[in-house]
């Protein structure tokens, strides 16, 4: 309770309604989080965190989510690669990277997916070859969020082409600001460019930047993916609930809230949001019980929310009717860090229109149905063949 009240007091005292006040405040948000010890609060105290337990982190995330306050300085840094370095990294890697992540001074992106290696990640073709004291990197990544702003990328590369598919991969920390790295934005229908292609042409990083050792990258990467879930599992549904509430508001404004088809669609959408919330608690329970069904739950959850979001945003356009065919957004960014602003100034989509366009891509990058179904079956089959196993995860193809 004390932790909840402390977090609640922070976010209530730090958020503003006035756009100018909010813009000025946002510039120093990371510094304020760091000063209060709220960045990476679940990290061990010796590395600058508060040493919060998983449940305490859940409480913290819930309070920030209720206030629509941004919890993280850099999701990729403090939630994904930071904990991965703490678990797998050398002392030298921790000294070099952890302080910058903790202070929100290093921006990161994730270099996993490739044009021919999305769902089948282990088939990646980007290579890294030792050249003296450095890795020489060549290849391409795709769907790379925030690459245009990143200082570093945690990169999956093939370092042993003769090893079994999963065994010849390494996990490198590569600087983005160098001549051998080219970032090309993937322009969405609404003009936004959240995703990028990243091309590596003789790019370099230190040979000491292989996290977890050379050719052990698959295990390290699975750890990173596991950190995506857990402490934020009970708050992920909130953005979908907020959009649902906006659709209800539009239905009332357009006098469609008494339409049977609209009401039926809204009820079905609300039911699915509640299922997302319940799925989040399932993931949290899995983490607390140590049953390690992360792969199975993650595949099912991603497939469910991505397809649900796409259907819900189609409902939003049905509710808006012909009004959805014109651009109704302001085209201006109010400086908020509590929500994502989509679209360009010369293509002013509303929040619902922007979410509609974005939802079309989510069923591609989040969890294609074919892969998710196959992944889930693989996990279940492995558990059935080994009923005594407490840990049920996909079979390690490198063995």
């Amino acid at each position: 309770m004390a932790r909840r009240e402390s977090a609640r007091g922070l976010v209530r005292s730090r958020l503003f309604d006035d756009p100018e006040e909010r813009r000025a405040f946002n510039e120093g948000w990371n510094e304020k989080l760091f000063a209060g010890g709220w960045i990476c609060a679940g990290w061990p105290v010796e590395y600058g965190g508060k040493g919060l337990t998983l449940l305490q982190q859940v409480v913290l995330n819930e309070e920030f989510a209720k206030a629509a306050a941004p919890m993280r300085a850099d999701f990729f840094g403090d939630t994904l690669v930071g904990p991965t370095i703490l678990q797998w990294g050398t002392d030298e890697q921790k000294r070099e990277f952890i302080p910058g992540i903790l202070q929100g001074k290093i921006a990161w992106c994730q270099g996993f997916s490739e044009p021919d290696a999305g769902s089948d990640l282990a088939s990646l073709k980007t290579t890294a070859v030792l050249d003296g004291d450095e890795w020489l990197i060549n290849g391409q990544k795709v769907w790379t969020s925030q690459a245009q702003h990143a200082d570093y990328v945690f990169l999956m590369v093939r370092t042993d082409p003769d090893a079994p598919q999963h065994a010849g991969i390494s996990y490198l920390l590569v600087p983005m600001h160098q001549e051998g790295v080219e970032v090309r934005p993937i322009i969405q229908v609404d003009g936004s460019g959240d995703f990028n292609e990243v091309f590596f042409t003789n790019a370099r990083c230190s040979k000491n930047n292989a996290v977890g050792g050379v050719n052990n990258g698959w295990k390290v990467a699975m750890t990173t993916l596991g950190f995506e879930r857990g402490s934020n599992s009970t708050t992920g549904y909130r953005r979908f609930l907020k959009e649902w509430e906006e659709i209800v508001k539009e239905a009332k404004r357009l006098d469609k809230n008494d339409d049977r088809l609209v009401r039926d669609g809204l009820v079905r959408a609300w039911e699915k949001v509640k299922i997302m919330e319940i799925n989040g608690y399932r993931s949290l329970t899995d983490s607390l019980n140590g049953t390690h069904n992360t792969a199975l739950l993650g595949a099912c959850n991603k497939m469910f929310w991505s397809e649900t979001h796409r259907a819900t945003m189609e409902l939003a356009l049905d509710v808006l009717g012909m009004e959805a065919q014109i651009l109704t957004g302001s085209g201006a960014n109010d400086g908020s860090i509590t929500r994502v602003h989509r679209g360009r100034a010369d293509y002013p989509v509303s929040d619902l229109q922007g979410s509609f366009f974005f939802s079309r891509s989510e069923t591609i990058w989040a969890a294609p149905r074919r892969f998710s179904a196959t992944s889930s079956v693989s996990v279940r089959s492995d558990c059935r063949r080994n009923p005594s196993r407490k840990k049920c995860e996909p079979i390690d193809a490198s063995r």
Side-chain angles (χ1 to χ4, degrees), residues 187-201:
I187 304 301
Q188 305 292 294
V189 179
D190 63 0
S192 61
D194 300 302
F195 300 113
N196 302 274
E197 295 177 286
V198 183
F199 296 85
F200 300 89
T201 307

Side-chain angles (χ1 to χ4, degrees), residues 197-209:
E197 295 177 286
V198 183
F199 296 85
F200 300 89
T201 307
N202 293 328
R204 292 177 178 272
C205 76
S206 169
K207 71 175 184 179
N208 297 323
N209 284 12

Side-chain angles (χ1 to χ4, degrees), residues 112-238:
F112 283 17
S113 297
E114 298 185 2
D116 297 316
S119 300
D120 184 16
L121 185 58
S123 64
L124 63 88
K125 296 181 175 61
T126 298
T127 62
V129 179
L130 269 181
D131 181 27
D133 292 332
E134 296 180 313
W135 290 103
L136 191 65
I137 304 162
N138 287 277
Q140 177 188 355
K141 297 294 178 177
V142 73
W143 301 113
T144 310
S145 301
Q146 302 302 314
Q148 70 272 41
H149 306 302
D151 301 306
Y152 275 84
V153 56
F154 46 104
L155 191 69
M156 288 184 69
V157 296
R158 190 161 301 284
T159 46
D160 187 350
D162 299 321
Q165 194 176 51
H166 293 70
I169 295 172
S170 295
Y171 187 111
L172 304 183
L173 308 178
V174 181
M176 291 289 289
H177 304 305
Q178 57 173 301
E179 290 185 2
V181 178
E182 180 185 359
V183 177
R184 299 180 190 173
I186 300 173
I187 304 301
Q188 305 292 294
V189 179
D190 63 0
S192 61
D194 300 302
F195 300 113
N196 302 274
E197 295 177 286
V198 183
F199 296 85
F200 300 89
T201 307
N202 293 328
R204 292 177 178 272
C205 76
S206 169
K207 71 175 184 179
N208 297 323
N209 284 12
V211 180
V214 179
N215 295 331
N216 195 38
W218 184 258
K219 291 181 180 179
V220 179
M222 293 305 101
T223 301
T224 298
L225 295 178
F227 287 127
E228 269 192 284
R229 309 164 187 101
S231 63
N232 64 341
S233 59
T234 63
T235 58
Y237 77 95
R238 288 183 178 274

